[in-house]
Amino acid sequence: MKSEVIVELVKFIFLVMNFFILAVGTSVAACGVWILFDSTSFIGVVSSSVGLQMVGAGLLLIGGLAVASSVTGCLGARWEKRPLLLAYVCILLLLLLGQLLLLLLLLLNKHSIEEHADAVVNDIMRRYDGDSYQDRLLDDLQRHGVCCGLTSPSDWLQNSFIQTLNASATHVLPCSCFGSHQSASPSPWCTRVDAVRDFVLGNHTHTQGCRGKLGDWLQENTVTIVAMDLTLMLTQVLLLALAANLYLAFGQKTTNEMAAIDPAHHNLEPS
């Protein structure tokens, strides 16, 4: 009786932990979808990086396998089916290997992803006219990050429109580079001096570049992904031990049930 109570307790803990894995796995898969398909945030702009695409695909695959393993484990424990538990253990081992590879891939590509983000921002600045969704995302970054350009406001001198302004070019910046401007601007451009015609006067120019803000944003998302991955791995190691315990317990239970049905056969001993 005592052993049966222990098995039921282990089964309960096993089921609860698998529901946790189900929730975390769904979140990991959602991160993969966000990286690969989102077009409403800056991740959609930098996701053309091969390294980041591989990370996104890896997250989607690992999240999907984690969900599948949770369902398999719950069914195996609930129905006390050893083949399902064996399949569950195999999936967990594959997941642990995949998650180690994903962490390695993310850490090895972190610098190249940051470089790609810098190149993308520079390209947006060169073509900026305030109309595309990429332009609006850069405006949001500058406005909410209180920054301008990648390293400084002078980075905007590479813009194709600003280069046509000649002498006044150094005074014209996107309106998102200013803390405020005097009135609603019909154009995305504002000026730092009142002498430049056809542009609204902006106040309080953001002097800091956006590379630090962009790097902080990438770092925060990297830490979130690594934390979820490590949480999954630690939980899965515990689940491997619980699955092995249940596998042996269900095997012993089956043996005992067969012995109870045919005691004469199972109690035969060589003389």
Short mmCIF file of all heavy atoms in Angstrom, two decimals, residues 43-92:
data_model
loop_
_atom_site.label_atom_id
_atom_site.label_comp_id
_atom_site.label_asym_id
_atom_site.label_seq_id
_atom_site.Cartn_x
_atom_site.Cartn_y
_atom_site.Cartn_z
N ILE A 43 12.14 43.38 -34.29
CA ILE A 43 12.64 42.03 -34.56
C ILE A 43 12.36 41.64 -35.99
O ILE A 43 13.12 40.90 -36.61
CB ILE A 43 12.01 41.02 -33.57
CG1 ILE A 43 12.81 39.71 -33.58
CG2 ILE A 43 10.55 40.76 -33.91
CD1 ILE A 43 14.16 39.79 -32.99
N GLY A 44 11.25 42.14 -36.57
CA GLY A 44 10.92 41.85 -37.96
C GLY A 44 11.92 42.48 -38.92
O GLY A 44 12.12 41.98 -40.03
N VAL A 45 12.54 43.58 -38.49
CA VAL A 45 13.53 44.27 -39.33
C VAL A 45 14.86 43.53 -39.33
O VAL A 45 15.51 43.39 -40.37
CB VAL A 45 13.71 45.72 -38.84
CG1 VAL A 45 14.79 46.42 -39.64
CG2 VAL A 45 12.40 46.48 -38.92
N VAL A 46 15.28 43.03 -38.15
CA VAL A 46 16.59 42.40 -38.05
C VAL A 46 16.53 40.89 -38.26
O VAL A 46 17.56 40.22 -38.28
CB VAL A 46 17.24 42.69 -36.67
CG1 VAL A 46 17.44 44.17 -36.49
CG2 VAL A 46 16.41 42.11 -35.53
N SER A 47 15.32 40.33 -38.43
CA SER A 47 15.19 38.87 -38.54
C SER A 47 15.71 38.32 -39.87
O SER A 47 15.71 37.11 -40.07
CB SER A 47 13.73 38.44 -38.35
OG SER A 47 12.90 39.00 -39.35
N SER A 48 16.13 39.20 -40.78
CA SER A 48 16.73 38.71 -42.03
C SER A 48 18.12 38.14 -41.80
O SER A 48 18.70 37.53 -42.69
CB SER A 48 16.80 39.85 -43.07
OG SER A 48 17.50 40.95 -42.55
N SER A 49 18.66 38.32 -40.58
CA SER A 49 19.94 37.72 -40.23
C SER A 49 19.81 36.20 -40.24
O SER A 49 18.89 35.63 -39.64
CB SER A 49 20.38 38.19 -38.84
OG SER A 49 21.40 37.38 -38.31
N VAL A 50 20.74 35.52 -40.93
CA VAL A 50 20.68 34.06 -41.01
C VAL A 50 20.77 33.44 -39.64
O VAL A 50 20.05 32.50 -39.30
CB VAL A 50 21.83 33.54 -41.92
CG1 VAL A 50 21.86 32.01 -41.90
CG2 VAL A 50 21.66 34.05 -43.34
N GLY A 51 21.67 33.99 -38.79
CA GLY A 51 21.81 33.46 -37.43
C GLY A 51 20.53 33.59 -36.64
O GLY A 51 20.13 32.65 -35.92
N LEU A 52 19.85 34.72 -36.77
CA LEU A 52 18.61 34.93 -36.02
C LEU A 52 17.49 34.06 -36.57
O LEU A 52 16.65 33.56 -35.80
CB LEU A 52 18.21 36.41 -36.09
CG LEU A 52 17.12 36.87 -35.11
CD1 LEU A 52 17.52 36.55 -33.67
CD2 LEU A 52 16.86 38.36 -35.26
N GLN A 53 17.46 33.84 -37.88
CA GLN A 53 16.47 32.95 -38.46
C GLN A 53 16.66 31.52 -37.96
O GLN A 53 15.69 30.81 -37.67
CB GLN A 53 16.55 32.98 -39.99
CG GLN A 53 15.97 34.26 -40.59
CD GLN A 53 16.03 34.23 -42.11
OE1 GLN A 53 16.81 33.49 -42.71
NE2 GLN A 53 15.21 35.03 -42.75
N MET A 54 17.91 31.09 -37.83
CA MET A 54 18.19 29.75 -37.31
C MET A 54 17.76 29.63 -35.86
O MET A 54 17.21 28.59 -35.45
CB MET A 54 19.68 29.44 -37.47
CG MET A 54 20.14 29.28 -38.92
SD MET A 54 21.92 29.06 -39.08
CE MET A 54 22.15 27.47 -38.28
N VAL A 55 18.00 30.68 -35.07
CA VAL A 55 17.56 30.68 -33.68
C VAL A 55 16.03 30.60 -33.61
O VAL A 55 15.47 29.84 -32.82
CB VAL A 55 18.07 31.93 -32.95
CG1 VAL A 55 17.41 32.07 -31.57
CG2 VAL A 55 19.59 31.87 -32.79
N GLY A 56 15.34 31.40 -34.45
CA GLY A 56 13.88 31.38 -34.46
C GLY A 56 13.33 30.02 -34.84
O GLY A 56 12.40 29.51 -34.20
N ALA A 57 13.92 29.40 -35.87
CA ALA A 57 13.47 28.06 -36.29
C ALA A 57 13.74 27.04 -35.19
O ALA A 57 12.91 26.15 -34.94
CB ALA A 57 14.18 27.66 -37.59
N GLY A 58 14.90 27.18 -34.52
CA GLY A 58 15.23 26.27 -33.42
C GLY A 58 14.26 26.40 -32.27
O GLY A 58 13.82 25.40 -31.68
N LEU A 59 13.88 27.63 -31.92
CA LEU A 59 12.92 27.86 -30.85
C LEU A 59 11.55 27.26 -31.19
O LEU A 59 10.90 26.66 -30.34
CB LEU A 59 12.78 29.35 -30.57
CG LEU A 59 13.95 30.04 -29.87
CD1 LEU A 59 13.74 31.54 -29.84
CD2 LEU A 59 14.12 29.51 -28.46
N LEU A 60 11.14 27.44 -32.44
CA LEU A 60 9.85 26.90 -32.87
C LEU A 60 9.85 25.37 -32.79
O LEU A 60 8.88 24.75 -32.30
CB LEU A 60 9.55 27.35 -34.29
CG LEU A 60 8.19 26.96 -34.87
CD1 LEU A 60 7.04 27.45 -34.00
CD2 LEU A 60 8.04 27.51 -36.29
N LEU A 61 10.94 24.75 -33.24
CA LEU A 61 11.05 23.29 -33.21
C LEU A 61 11.10 22.78 -31.77
O LEU A 61 10.40 21.82 -31.42
CB LEU A 61 12.29 22.85 -33.98
CG LEU A 61 12.58 21.34 -34.02
CD1 LEU A 61 11.43 20.60 -34.68
CD2 LEU A 61 13.89 21.06 -34.73
N ILE A 62 11.92 23.41 -30.94
CA ILE A 62 12.06 22.96 -29.55
C ILE A 62 10.75 23.16 -28.78
O ILE A 62 10.33 22.29 -28.01
CB ILE A 62 13.22 23.72 -28.87
CG1 ILE A 62 14.54 23.16 -29.37
CG2 ILE A 62 13.14 23.61 -27.34
CD1 ILE A 62 15.75 23.94 -28.93
N GLY A 63 10.09 24.29 -29.00
CA GLY A 63 8.80 24.52 -28.34
C GLY A 63 7.77 23.49 -28.74
O GLY A 63 7.03 22.96 -27.90
N GLY A 64 7.73 23.16 -30.05
CA GLY A 64 6.79 22.16 -30.53
C GLY A 64 7.08 20.78 -29.95
O GLY A 64 6.16 20.05 -29.54
N LEU A 65 8.37 20.40 -29.88
CA LEU A 65 8.74 19.11 -29.30
C LEU A 65 8.44 19.07 -27.80
O LEU A 65 8.04 18.02 -27.28
CB LEU A 65 10.23 18.84 -29.54
CG LEU A 65 10.62 18.38 -30.94
CD1 LEU A 65 12.13 18.27 -31.07
CD2 LEU A 65 9.97 17.05 -31.28
N ALA A 66 8.63 20.20 -27.13
CA ALA A 66 8.32 20.24 -25.69
C ALA A 66 6.83 20.01 -25.45
O ALA A 66 6.45 19.29 -24.52
CB ALA A 66 8.76 21.59 -25.11
N VAL A 67 6.00 20.63 -26.28
CA VAL A 67 4.55 20.42 -26.16
C VAL A 67 4.21 18.95 -26.44
O VAL A 67 3.43 18.32 -25.70
CB VAL A 67 3.79 21.35 -27.13
CG1 VAL A 67 2.31 20.99 -27.19
CG2 VAL A 67 3.95 22.81 -26.70
N ALA A 68 4.81 18.39 -27.50
CA ALA A 68 4.54 16.98 -27.85
C ALA A 68 5.00 16.04 -26.74
O ALA A 68 4.30 15.07 -26.40
CB ALA A 68 5.24 16.64 -29.16
N SER A 69 6.17 16.34 -26.15
CA SER A 69 6.67 15.48 -25.07
C SER A 69 5.77 15.55 -23.86
O SER A 69 5.52 14.53 -23.19
CB SER A 69 8.10 15.88 -24.70
OG SER A 69 8.12 17.13 -24.03
N SER A 70 5.25 16.73 -23.54
CA SER A 70 4.36 16.88 -22.39
C SER A 70 3.09 16.06 -22.56
O SER A 70 2.65 15.37 -21.63
CB SER A 70 3.99 18.36 -22.19
OG SER A 70 5.13 19.12 -21.90
N VAL A 71 2.50 16.13 -23.74
CA VAL A 71 1.28 15.36 -24.01
C VAL A 71 1.57 13.86 -23.92
O VAL A 71 0.82 13.10 -23.29
CB VAL A 71 0.72 15.72 -25.40
CG1 VAL A 71 -0.45 14.81 -25.75
CG2 VAL A 71 0.27 17.18 -25.44
N THR A 72 2.70 13.44 -24.52
CA THR A 72 3.07 12.01 -24.48
C THR A 72 3.30 11.55 -23.05
O THR A 72 2.83 10.47 -22.64
CB THR A 72 4.34 11.78 -25.31
OG1 THR A 72 4.15 12.24 -26.63
CG2 THR A 72 4.70 10.30 -25.34
N GLY A 73 4.01 12.36 -22.27
CA GLY A 73 4.29 11.99 -20.88
C GLY A 73 3.03 11.92 -20.04
O GLY A 73 2.87 11.00 -19.23
N CYS A 74 2.14 12.88 -20.21
CA CYS A 74 0.88 12.89 -19.44
C CYS A 74 0.03 11.67 -19.77
O CYS A 74 -0.53 11.03 -18.87
CB CYS A 74 0.09 14.17 -19.73
SG CYS A 74 0.80 15.65 -18.97
N LEU A 75 -0.05 11.31 -21.05
CA LEU A 75 -0.83 10.14 -21.45
C LEU A 75 -0.19 8.86 -20.92
O LEU A 75 -0.89 7.95 -20.44
CB LEU A 75 -0.96 10.08 -22.97
CG LEU A 75 -1.79 11.19 -23.63
CD1 LEU A 75 -1.77 11.04 -25.15
CD2 LEU A 75 -3.22 11.18 -23.13
N GLY A 76 1.15 8.80 -21.00
CA GLY A 76 1.84 7.62 -20.51
C GLY A 76 1.65 7.42 -19.02
O GLY A 76 1.46 6.29 -18.55
N ALA A 77 1.70 8.52 -18.25
CA ALA A 77 1.51 8.42 -16.80
C ALA A 77 0.05 8.14 -16.44
O ALA A 77 -0.23 7.33 -15.55
CB ALA A 77 1.97 9.71 -16.13
N ARG A 78 -0.85 8.79 -17.14
CA ARG A 78 -2.28 8.62 -16.83
C ARG A 78 -2.76 7.22 -17.16
O ARG A 78 -3.51 6.60 -16.39
CB ARG A 78 -3.09 9.66 -17.63
CG ARG A 78 -4.60 9.58 -17.40
CD ARG A 78 -4.96 10.01 -15.99
NE ARG A 78 -6.39 9.91 -15.76
CZ ARG A 78 -7.03 8.79 -15.40
NH1 ARG A 78 -6.36 7.66 -15.25
NH2 ARG A 78 -8.33 8.81 -15.19
N TRP A 79 -2.34 6.69 -18.31
CA TRP A 79 -2.77 5.36 -18.72
C TRP A 79 -1.81 4.26 -18.26
O TRP A 79 -2.06 3.09 -18.51
CB TRP A 79 -2.90 5.30 -20.25
CG TRP A 79 -3.97 6.20 -20.80
CD1 TRP A 79 -5.03 6.73 -20.13
CD2 TRP A 79 -4.07 6.66 -22.16
NE1 TRP A 79 -5.80 7.51 -20.97
CE2 TRP A 79 -5.24 7.49 -22.23
CE3 TRP A 79 -3.33 6.47 -23.31
CZ2 TRP A 79 -5.65 8.10 -23.40
CZ3 TRP A 79 -3.73 7.08 -24.49
CH2 TRP A 79 -4.88 7.89 -24.52
N GLU A 80 -0.70 4.68 -17.64
CA GLU A 80 0.32 3.73 -17.15
C GLU A 80 0.84 2.85 -18.29
O GLU A 80 0.95 1.63 -18.17
CB GLU A 80 -0.23 2.88 -16.01
CG GLU A 80 -0.64 3.73 -14.80
CD GLU A 80 -1.04 2.91 -13.59
OE1 GLU A 80 -1.05 1.66 -13.70
OE2 GLU A 80 -1.33 3.52 -12.53
N LYS A 81 1.18 3.49 -19.40
CA LYS A 81 1.69 2.81 -20.59
C LYS A 81 3.20 3.01 -20.68
O LYS A 81 3.68 4.12 -20.92
CB LYS A 81 1.01 3.35 -21.85
CG LYS A 81 -0.49 3.14 -21.90
CD LYS A 81 -0.85 1.66 -21.97
CE LYS A 81 -2.35 1.47 -22.14
NZ LYS A 81 -2.71 0.03 -22.16
N ARG A 82 3.96 1.94 -20.48
CA ARG A 82 5.42 2.02 -20.52
C ARG A 82 5.97 2.42 -21.90
O ARG A 82 6.94 3.18 -21.97
CB ARG A 82 6.02 0.70 -20.06
CG ARG A 82 5.66 0.33 -18.63
CD ARG A 82 6.25 -1.00 -18.25
NE ARG A 82 7.64 -0.85 -17.85
CZ ARG A 82 8.53 -1.84 -17.87
NH1 ARG A 82 8.17 -3.04 -18.31
NH2 ARG A 82 9.78 -1.64 -17.46
N PRO A 83 5.39 1.94 -23.01
CA PRO A 83 5.90 2.38 -24.32
C PRO A 83 5.81 3.90 -24.51
O PRO A 83 6.71 4.51 -25.10
CB PRO A 83 5.01 1.63 -25.33
CG PRO A 83 4.55 0.42 -24.59
CD PRO A 83 4.37 0.86 -23.17
N LEU A 84 4.72 4.51 -24.01
CA LEU A 84 4.60 5.97 -24.11
C LEU A 84 5.66 6.66 -23.26
O LEU A 84 6.22 7.68 -23.67
CB LEU A 84 3.20 6.41 -23.68
CG LEU A 84 2.06 6.16 -24.67
CD1 LEU A 84 0.73 6.58 -24.07
CD2 LEU A 84 2.30 6.91 -25.98
N LEU A 85 5.93 6.11 -22.08
CA LEU A 85 6.98 6.70 -21.24
C LEU A 85 8.35 6.55 -21.89
O LEU A 85 9.20 7.44 -21.79
CB LEU A 85 6.98 6.03 -19.86
CG LEU A 85 5.86 6.44 -18.91
CD1 LEU A 85 5.95 5.66 -17.61
CD2 LEU A 85 5.89 7.94 -18.62
N LEU A 86 8.58 5.42 -22.56
CA LEU A 86 9.85 5.23 -23.26
C LEU A 86 9.99 6.23 -24.40
O LEU A 86 11.07 6.83 -24.60
CB LEU A 86 9.92 3.79 -23.79
CG LEU A 86 11.28 3.33 -24.31
CD1 LEU A 86 12.35 3.42 -23.24
CD2 LEU A 86 11.18 1.90 -24.85
N ALA A 87 8.90 6.44 -25.16
CA ALA A 87 8.92 7.45 -26.22
C ALA A 87 9.15 8.84 -25.63
O ALA A 87 9.88 9.66 -26.20
CB ALA A 87 7.59 7.41 -27.00
N TYR A 88 8.54 9.10 -24.48
CA TYR A 88 8.69 10.38 -23.78
C TYR A 88 10.15 10.63 -23.42
O TYR A 88 10.69 11.73 -23.64
CB TYR A 88 7.82 10.35 -22.53
CG TYR A 88 7.98 11.53 -21.62
CD1 TYR A 88 7.36 12.75 -21.91
CD2 TYR A 88 8.74 11.44 -20.45
CE1 TYR A 88 7.50 13.83 -21.06
CE2 TYR A 88 8.88 12.52 -19.60
CZ TYR A 88 8.26 13.71 -19.91
OH TYR A 88 8.41 14.79 -19.07
N VAL A 89 10.82 9.60 -22.90
CA VAL A 89 12.23 9.74 -22.52
C VAL A 89 13.09 10.03 -23.75
O VAL A 89 13.99 10.88 -23.71
CB VAL A 89 12.72 8.47 -21.80
CG1 VAL A 89 14.23 8.47 -21.65
CG2 VAL A 89 12.07 8.36 -20.42
N CYS A 90 12.80 9.35 -24.85
CA CYS A 90 13.56 9.58 -26.10
C CYS A 90 13.39 11.02 -26.58
O CYS A 90 14.37 11.67 -27.00
CB CYS A 90 13.13 8.60 -27.17
SG CYS A 90 13.55 6.88 -26.82
N ILE A 91 12.16 11.53 -26.53
CA ILE A 91 11.91 12.91 -26.96
C ILE A 91 12.65 13.89 -26.05
O ILE A 91 13.24 14.87 -26.52
CB ILE A 91 10.40 13.22 -26.97
CG1 ILE A 91 9.68 12.36 -27.99
CG2 ILE A 91 10.15 14.69 -27.29
CD1 ILE A 91 8.16 12.49 -27.96
N LEU A 92 12.63 13.62 -24.74
CA LEU A 92 13.33 14.51 -23.80
C LEU A 92 14.83 14.55 -24.07
O LEU A 92 15.45 15.62 -24.01
CB LEU A 92 13.08 14.07 -22.36
CG LEU A 92 11.77 14.48 -21.70
CD1 LEU A 92 11.79 14.16 -20.21
CD2 LEU A 92 11.47 15.97 -21.89
#
